[in-house]
């Protein structure tokens, strides 16, 4: 981000903040400062936490290669010549980890040529910065190059909040939101509630930034952050590196938070300087008072936040979460007992560090510190040890500083600078399919099936240093803090606590940066989409609403329990089709557990009664008969990723309505954008009313209005009917999207 754009923002802040203080009659938190200084029209804007719909102007948009394809295809439908805000595309998700960085990269470039050519040509044409495969993972590259204190950005990836480590409000959204912001529209979001996290004390010994967020995951749960911004402050915050702050904000996505952020401090300034942005550091220092919460807020946070949590970092123990959900948390010291009680496999089959969550220099240093101790003692890693550097800069620096060779000496493999095993792009040959096994990583997400495509893999998440120590023990029963493992001579070996500087003393090394600027004259560039492609498909607008109520819709699926986007639209091998709506729709609900049968991914055809078919096969059959359908879901439906395929595939194959106990924020918006009606039960117990052969009607749609409940009638097989009340959060404008068939149709 150019320093003059940041300067303009900072200079406009004092007056805007004064007006906001006047209007609200009180001091402001940092999150509020950022929101009000990015309001599309501050005076017309209604402000009411948890109620108002904010219209904001973002400073920047970031796309990655998996969700970015749909974002660009949608942007193209808007017919603009150039993007209206600075935007970048990052090629990171499509690189499969198999045999090490070099070979994996070569394979990826040839396998994904079509998609890369599309992203590259579209970037060049429309004025978007393009980061080639191998340049790094979107959030790490954004932190190193674009994030800045006080800024507002959106990204088509749920871990966009990583930039909160530099004091930016960075929010994960669906591709349609990005496409619209790039087309010049204001971006909308529900005015979030605010959680304040006051940190005191200081991290020491084995405890690291990761433990703050894994601890909070246990405390607040995966839906505890929905429609909320989490703001960190207090004396403890000032002891954490900028990249450590990034880790915490990154994984705030696991709480469902709109975003997370820290107040500007000297660690951020140091990081900006280390990444060649001394001018931005100086600007932020000069405007420091606008980039932190007001003093009144710091003095009495309970008055300003909807909820305040205090954490004393001096008392925080290292934590580990899993399996299968990031909120299954406990201190590492209590893991062994729980593993035994639950009967989980204790042997660790693979240890992985890095990813967008934890690949800072500090992380790598601390992990290498552990590895070096073990090497000196003559120990070898007992499990494969995979390292995913977040960016080329990190890769070159750990190579120069001997960290990589330490990892290689313990038998580790350094993978490409990409998502790899974190998103299921991991070709694993050491365990059979459906073989129950345990892995540990420093990643952020651990839903079943995520890393290696196998739901039988139990994935635990913790800090890179704990992962490294566990790799030498090979078992979950080891507590690196208090326990010992047998040394080569049979005598017990004990690790000492990890150490590592937060920034490289010699500065970051640089390799091939992998950035390509857009063309000076985009008009002459043609976007490359081969007509016969099985990976890319131009979008056809979804049909408009025909003005009629939905009557007697069959239930395609009633999901039971966790229904994340990984259940609705799995990634892994399916990443291949992220630019081809028809093809990718074959994965629809493959991971969802059918509440009627207990089976995952398969349903009973409500018309023919045929069994054993995937939900997609059933939906395609219904679609061919001209029958639309509905989805019933459980709690926090659509948690996880920002991928809008989880809304587009159902829409494409005939879903009209999704009724659930509660939604995750990004997914609910994605459904609205694609023209599906997202409803919640007024009484969550009504979930139990729905049976396999029911037909469902949603009536009064012509009178759909903000805040007005909707009537849903369930017709039972015996002819009886039950009418229940459902709620929605559609605004006037969003009702317009529903009527137009999609937000994009409404735009045109
Ligand atoms: C993820 O971490 O789940 C992903 C893969 O980065 C997704 C985006 C995607 O599905 O492409 C996300 O978090 O939004
Ligand atoms: Fe990539 Fe994993 Fe980060 Fe998502 S969470 S951006 S898949 S590294």
């Amino acid at each position: 981000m150019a320093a003059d754009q940041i300067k303009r923002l900072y200079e406009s802040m004092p007056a805007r903040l004064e007006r906001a203080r006047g209007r609200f009659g009180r001091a402001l938190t940092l999150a509020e400062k950022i929101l009000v200084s990015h309001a599309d029209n501050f005076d017309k804007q209604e402000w009411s936490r948890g109620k108002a719909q904010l219209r904001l102007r973002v400073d920047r948009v970031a796309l990655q290669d998996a969700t970015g394809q749909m974002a660009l295809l949608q942007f193209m439908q808007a017919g603009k010549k150039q993007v209206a805000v600075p935007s970048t595309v990052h090629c990171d998700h499509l690189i499969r980890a198999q045999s090490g960085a070099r070979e994996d990269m070569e394979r990826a470039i040839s396998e994904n040529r079509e998609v890369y050519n599309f992203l590259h040509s579209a970037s060049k044409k429309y004025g978007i910065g393009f980061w080639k495969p191998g340049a790094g993972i979107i959030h790490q590259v954004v932190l190193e190059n674009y994030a800045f204190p006080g800024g507002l950005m959106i990204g088509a990836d749920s871990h966009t909040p990583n930039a909160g480590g530099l004091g930016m409000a960075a929010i994960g959204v669906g591709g349609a939101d990005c496409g619209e912001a790039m087309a010049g529209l204001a971006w909308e979001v529900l005015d979030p509630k605010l959680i304040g996290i006051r940190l005191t004390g200081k991290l020491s010994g084995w405890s690291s930034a990761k433990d703050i967020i894994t601890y909070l995951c246990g405390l607040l749960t995966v839906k505890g952050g929905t429609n909320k911004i989490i703001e960190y402050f207090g004396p403890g915050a000032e002891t954490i590196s900028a990249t450590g702050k990034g880790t915490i904000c990154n994984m705030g996505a696991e709480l469902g938070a709109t975003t997370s952020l820290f107040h500007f401090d000297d660690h951020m300034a140091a990081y900006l300087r280390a990444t060649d942005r001394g001018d931005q550091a100086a600007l932020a220092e000069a405007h420091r008072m606008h980039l932190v919460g007001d003093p009144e807020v710091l003095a009495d946070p309970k008055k300003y936040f909807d909820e305040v949590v205090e954490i004393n970092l001096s008392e925080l123990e290292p934590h580990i979460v899993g399996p299968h959900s990031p909120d299954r948390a406990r201190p590492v010291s209590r893991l062994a007992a729980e593993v035994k009680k639950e009967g989980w496999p204790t042997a660790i089959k693979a240890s992985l560090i890095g990813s967008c969550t934890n690949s800072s220099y500090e992380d790598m240093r601390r992990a290498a510190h552990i590895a070096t101790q073990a090497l000196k003692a003559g120990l070898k890693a007992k499990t494969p040890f995979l390292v995913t550097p977040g960016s080329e800069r990190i890769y070159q620096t750990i190579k120069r500083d001997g960290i990589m060779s330490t990892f290689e000496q313990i038998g580790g493999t350094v993978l490409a600078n990409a998502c790899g095993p974190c998103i299921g792009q991991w070709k694993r040959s050491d365990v059979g399919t459906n073989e129950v096994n345990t892995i540990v990583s420093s990643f952020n997400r651990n839903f079943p099936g995520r890393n290696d495509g196998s739901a039988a893999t139990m994935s635990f998440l913790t800090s890179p240093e704990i992962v490294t120590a566990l790799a030498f023990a090979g078992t979950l029963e080891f507590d690196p803090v208090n326990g010992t493992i047998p040394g080569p001579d049979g005598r017990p070996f004990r690790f000492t606590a990890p150490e590592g500087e937060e920034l490289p003393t010699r500065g970051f090394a640089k390799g091939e940066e992998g950035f390509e600027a857009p063309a000076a004259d985009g008009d002459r560039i043609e976007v490359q989409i081969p007509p016969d492609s099985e990976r890319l498909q131009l979008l056809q607008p979804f049909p408009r609403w025909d003005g009629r109520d939905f009557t007697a819709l069959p239930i395609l699926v009633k999901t039971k329990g966790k229904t994340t986007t990984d259940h609705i639209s799995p990634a892994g091998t399916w990443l291949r089709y992220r630019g081809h709506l028809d093809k990718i729709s074959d994965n629809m609900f493959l991971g969802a557990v059918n509440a009627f049968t207990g089976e995952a991914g398969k349903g009973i055809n409500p018309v023919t009664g045929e069994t054993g078919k995937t939900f997609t096969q059933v939906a395609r059959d219904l679609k061919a008969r001209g029958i639309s359908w509905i989805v019933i879901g459980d709690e926090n439906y659509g948690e996880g990723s920002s991928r809008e395929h989880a809304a587009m595939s159902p829409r494409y194959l005939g879903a009209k309505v999704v009724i659930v106990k509660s939604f995750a924020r990004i997914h609910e918006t994605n459904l609205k954008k694609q023209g599906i009606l997202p409803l919640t039960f007024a009484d969550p117990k009504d979930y139990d009313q729905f049976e396999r052969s029911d037909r469902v009607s949603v009536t009064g749609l012509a009178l759909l209005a903000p805040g007005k409940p909707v009537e849903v009638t369930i017709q039972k097989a015996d002819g009886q009917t039950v009418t229940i009340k459902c709620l929605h959060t559609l605004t006037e404008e969003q009702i317009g999207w529903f009527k137009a068939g999609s937000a994009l149709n409404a735009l045109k």
Side-chain angles (χ1 to χ4, degrees):
M1 177 88 40
D4 53 331
Q5 192 195 345
I6 300 176
K7 187 159 179 249
R8 270 198 309 272
L9 171 70
Y10 288 173
E11 284 171 356
S12 75
M13 282 178 91
R16 289 186 184 220
L17 301 186
E18 246 344 282
R19 264 163 66 207
R21 287 189 196 99
R23 187 160 156 201
F24 302 166
R26 58 171 174 79
L28 303 173
T29 72
L30 174 60
E32 290 175 317
K33 290 185 182 185
I34 298 180
L35 296 176
V36 299
S37 48
H38 289 84
D40 182 39
N41 183 331
F42 177 78
D43 294 318
K44 279 207 195 139
Q45 178 67 55
E46 182 201 332
W47 300 91
S48 171
R49 290 185 199 166
K51 296 206 182 73
Q53 196 72 7
L54 303 183
R55 289 174 62 81
L56 305 171
R57 290 283 161 186
V58 301
D59 297 312
R60 164 164 290 281
V61 176
L63 305 177
Q64 38 93 331
D65 52 358
T67 49
Q69 300 174 50
M70 273 304 167
L72 284 172
L73 289 167
Q74 294 180 84
F75 167 77
M76 284 162 62
Q77 285 191 306
K80 300 278 181 218
K81 277 177 101 128
Q82 289 269 305
V83 288
V85 286
S87 307
T88 47
V89 164
H90 303 262
C91 298
D92 53 3
H93 281 63
L94 299 178
I95 301 166
R96 183 149 34 82
Q98 191 169 339
S99 51
R102 267 262 308 283
E103 288 170 36
D104 291 353
M105 274 300 304
E106 279 163 18
R107 201 175 307 111
I109 290 174
S110 92
E111 276 176 10
N112 300 312
R113 180 156 285 131
E114 253 178 276
V115 172
Y116 292 150
N117 284 348
F118 162 65
L119 294 171
H120 182 223
S121 56
S123 298
K124 266 204 123 89
K125 182 174 180 69
Y126 296 116
I128 302 169
F130 181 73
W131 289 84
K132 291 183 209 163
I137 307 174
I138 174 168
H139 312 302
Q140 182 66 28
V141 175
V142 166
L143 196 73
E144 287 173 2
N145 296 276
Y146 302 119
F148 67 92
L152 176 71
M153 72 175 273
I154 55 174
D157 190 283
S158 64
H159 294 105
T160 304
N162 192 62
L166 276 180
M168 185 174 218
I171 302 175
V173 298
D177 286 52
C178 291
E180 291 164 20
M182 291 190 297
L185 298 185
W187 171 71
E188 290 202 9
V189 68
L190 183 67
D191 191 359
K193 295 204 171 181
L194 303 181
I195 303 185
I197 311 277
R198 181 160 186 276
L199 303 177
T200 59
K202 193 174 175 358
L203 291 170
S204 64
W206 286 86
S207 298
S208 71
K210 179 73 159 226
D211 302 309
I212 300 177
I213 189 63
T214 43
Y215 164 75
L216 275 174
C217 283
L219 188 75
L220 300 175
T221 80
V222 289
K223 47 179 228 176
T226 310
N227 294 319
K228 294 175 188 160
I229 291 185
I230 306 182
E231 183 169 327
Y232 294 84
F233 56 91
E238 284 162 32
T239 68
I240 306 170
S241 63
T243 48
K245 292 179 167 92
T247 296
I248 296 168
C249 296
N250 175 303
M251 220 180 147
E254 272 49 67
L255 299 166
T258 300
T259 192
S260 303
L261 79 183
F262 276 83
H263 295 180
F264 175 67
D265 68 4
D266 294 343
H267 292 276
M268 295 188 194
Y271 185 78
L272 285 169
R273 292 202 164 91
T275 48
D276 309 322
R277 290 172 289 172
D279 50 349
Q280 298 182 23
L283 271 174
E285 282 164 341
H287 295 88
R288 195 183 283 263
M289 60 189 293
H290 310 311
L291 306 174
V292 298
D294 280 340
E296 296 87 333
V297 176
L298 300 182
D300 188 7
K302 290 213 170 69
K303 239 175 98 183
Y304 299 89
F305 291 96
D306 299 284
E307 204 178 323
V308 175
V309 177
E310 293 240 7
I311 305 178
N312 181 350
L313 302 183
S314 306
E315 288 169 4
L316 184 70
E317 271 190 75
H319 274 62
I320 184 162
V321 301
H324 299 329
S325 188
D327 55 3
R328 187 146 196 190
R330 84 288 286 160
V332 175
S333 60
R334 283 203 234 129
L335 179 65
E338 193 177 334
V339 167
K340 204 156 162 205
K341 192 176 123 233
E342 298 287 340
W344 296 327
T346 53
I348 301 169
K349 289 286 187 199
S351 315
L352 307 97
I353 66 166
S355 90
C356 68
T357 325
N358 270 112
S359 9
S360 65
Y361 188 75
E362 187 179 28
D363 289 332
M364 295 294 153
R365 261 275 169 247
R366 285 169 66 90
H369 186 261
I370 297 296
T372 309
Q373 293 177 41
L375 275 177
K376 281 203 188 124
L379 290 164
K380 283 241 150 48
K382 291 224 173 74
T383 76
F385 186 74
L386 305 177
V387 184
T388 311
S391 70
E392 177 68 4
R393 215 185 274 227
I394 288 291
Y395 172 83
Q396 293 296 343
T397 310
I398 65 171
K399 188 163 142 196
R400 181 198 65 196
D401 291 356
I403 297 176
M404 209 160 104
S405 84
T406 305
F407 291 150
E408 280 163 359
Q409 282 172 54
I410 67 168
T413 309
V414 178
L415 301 170
N417 313 323
C419 300
C422 180
I423 176 67
Q425 291 277 53
W426 181 18
K427 203 161 180 191
R428 218 181 145 185
S429 43
D430 59 324
V431 292
T433 7
N434 298 327
E435 183 181 332
V436 178
N437 75 103
T438 295
I439 62 172
V440 289
S441 80
S442 71
F443 304 165
N444 48 21
R445 213 160 253 174
N446 58 354
F447 302 143
R450 173 150 177 114
N451 301 109
D452 55 3
S454 165
T457 294
M458 300 201 164
S459 160
F460 291 83
L461 312 172
T462 183
S463 69
E465 43 272 44
I466 298 278
V467 171
T468 311
L470 288 175
F472 288 98
T475 166
L476 288 182
E477 285 162 322
F478 175 52
D479 168 7
V481 185
N482 307 300
T484 59
I485 45 175
D489 52 4
R491 293 227 305 266
F493 169 80
R494 182 188 293 275
F495 286 104
T496 59
E499 287 165 25
E501 54 291 14
E502 76 180 63
L503 290 168
T505 31
R506 294 162 64 196
F508 283 106
K510 271 183 220 150
E512 217 214 304
E513 284 254 309
F515 175 76
E516 221 181 294
D521 176 9
D523 276 355
R524 299 218 303 272
I525 312 264
E526 204 184 310
V527 177
Q528 292 180 33
I529 301 185
D532 54 348
S533 174
E534 60 152 26
R535 302 204 48 186
L536 297 158
Q537 181 187 41
L538 283 171
L539 293 172
Q540 298 300 324
F542 290 129
R544 297 183 63 86
W545 177 55
D546 62 8
R548 291 205 300 261
D549 282 341
F550 299 139
T551 46
L553 302 182
I555 303 169
L556 179 80
V557 49
K558 173 173 172 179
T559 74
K560 187 166 151 229
K562 230 184 198 343
T563 314
T564 71
T565 46
D566 280 301
H567 294 89
I568 306 170
S569 177
T573 48
W574 292 98
L575 283 171
R576 198 176 162 71
Y577 302 120
R578 282 287 184 86
H580 199 294
L581 184 55
D582 186 61
K583 285 247 179 236
I584 198 160
S585 297
D586 280 337
N587 77 354
M588 190 179 68
F589 293 117
L590 273 185
V593 177
N594 185 335
F596 302 131
T597 63
E599 198 184 8
K602 290 192 178 149
I604 300 169
N605 189 313
V607 175
T608 63
E610 195 182 2
T611 59
K613 295 281 184 208
T614 65
F615 288 116
T616 302
Q617 287 169 326
V618 179
R620 286 193 194 274
D621 177 71
L622 295 179
K623 188 177 175 183
R625 297 169 195 268
I627 300 174
S628 302
W629 41 270
I630 132 169
V631 177
I632 304 295
D634 215 318
E635 214 64 87
N636 208 22
Y637 182 92
E639 144 188 14
S641 156
S642 64
R643 61 189 76 140
E644 62 209 313
H645 307 77
M648 291 180 96
S649 291
R651 173 70 166 108
Y652 174 67
L653 293 181
K656 290 282 190 248
V657 189
V658 176
I659 316 179
V660 300
K661 291 187 189 166
S662 63
F663 282 110
R665 171 187 59 95
I666 306 179
H667 187 64
E668 183 179 18
T669 306
N670 285 345
L671 290 171
K672 291 176 182 175
K673 292 252 159 181
Q674 303 303 337
I676 294 180
L677 199 59
L679 302 179
T680 52
F681 303 110
D683 178 1
K685 283 202 288 299
D686 284 337
Y687 169 88
D688 299 324
Q689 305 250 27
F690 291 82
E691 293 173 292
R692 208 182 82 205
S693 45
D694 291 351
R695 293 292 182 269
V696 184
S697 301
V698 183
T699 49
L701 291 178
L703 300 174
L704 197 60
K708 188 171 161 248
V710 171
E711 251 186 27
V712 172
T713 305
I714 314 169
Q715 290 143 261
K716 297 286 168 191
D718 62 6
Q720 299 246 359
T721 62
V722 187
T723 298
I724 63 167
K725 202 166 84 180
C726 290
L727 310 174
H728 69 85
T729 61
L730 295 157
T731 60
E732 202 61 71
E733 185 179 2
Q734 293 170 346
I735 291 172
W737 304 345
F738 168 72
K739 291 185 173 160
S742 72
L744 214 71
N745 289 352
L747 192 98
K748 281 189 282 186

